[in-house]
Structures are given as structure tokens and as C-alpha cells.
Amino acid sequence: VDAFQAWCGPCKTVVDLFRKIKNEVGSDLLYFAVAEVDSVDALEKYRGKCKPVFLCYAGGELVAVVRGVNAPLLRKTVLEQL
């Protein structure tokens, strides 16, 4: 989940990265979503941050967090969680 604030918008630069990973692994286990933290009470603790935050969930539980746009770290984290 790309957790963003309305004033800065979702991180469009990583959409291609996630699309590439999804194509490479061909897994139905991988989904990418965006969520505006100002609209989701459960994401309240991410409000007021100017850095993008990427949340990895498995089985409904938060399993990893990546702060900032670091493509190699995002890729590594996603693949480890799969």
C-alpha cells in the first residue's frame, strides 16, 4: 500500500516498479494499492509525513514498512515478503 497525503499525491514513480515485479513473479499473491492517509483512520499515524511510505501486508497483518522511494529496497522487501 502506497500511503500518501492528498497534498503530495501517490508515488507514481513506483507504479512501474510494482508492475515489473508483478510481471516477473506472475503471482496472484501480489497486489498494489494506494491509500490517502487523511481518509483512512487506521493510517492516522502516517499523517504529516512528507516521505512516501509503503506498507506490506500478508494475511491482513502489517509485515514490513519501507519509508521513502528506494527502488532496490522496495523490490527486495516485496520479494522477501512473497
Side-chain angles (χ1 to χ4, degrees):
V1 177
D2 176 1
F4 71 94
Q5 288 199 236
W7 53 267
C8 66
C11 189
K12 294 178 173 103
T13 59
V14 298
V15 171
D16 288 337
L17 171 67
F18 283 104
R19 185 176 292 126
K20 183 177 179 182
I21 294 170
K22 174 98 173 158
N23 288 336
E24 287 174 6
V25 298
S27 175
D28 289 336
L29 298 175
L30 178 61
Y31 296 94
F32 178 69
V34 294
E36 183 182 344
V37 298
D38 296 320
S39 301
V40 181
D41 290 338
L43 299 176
E44 182 179 13
K45 69 180 180 180
Y46 300 104
R47 294 177 187 161
K49 312 287 190 241
C50 63
K51 236 189 231 187
V53 177
F54 301 92
L55 310 171
C56 299
Y57 287 88
E61 298 292 323
L62 181 64
V63 294
V65 175
V66 176
R67 297 180 190 281
V69 180
N70 180 335
L73 180 58
L74 279 168
R75 179 181 174 75
K76 178 183 176 209
T77 303
V78 168
L79 293 175
E80 284 176 351
Q81 295 307 316
L82 284 175

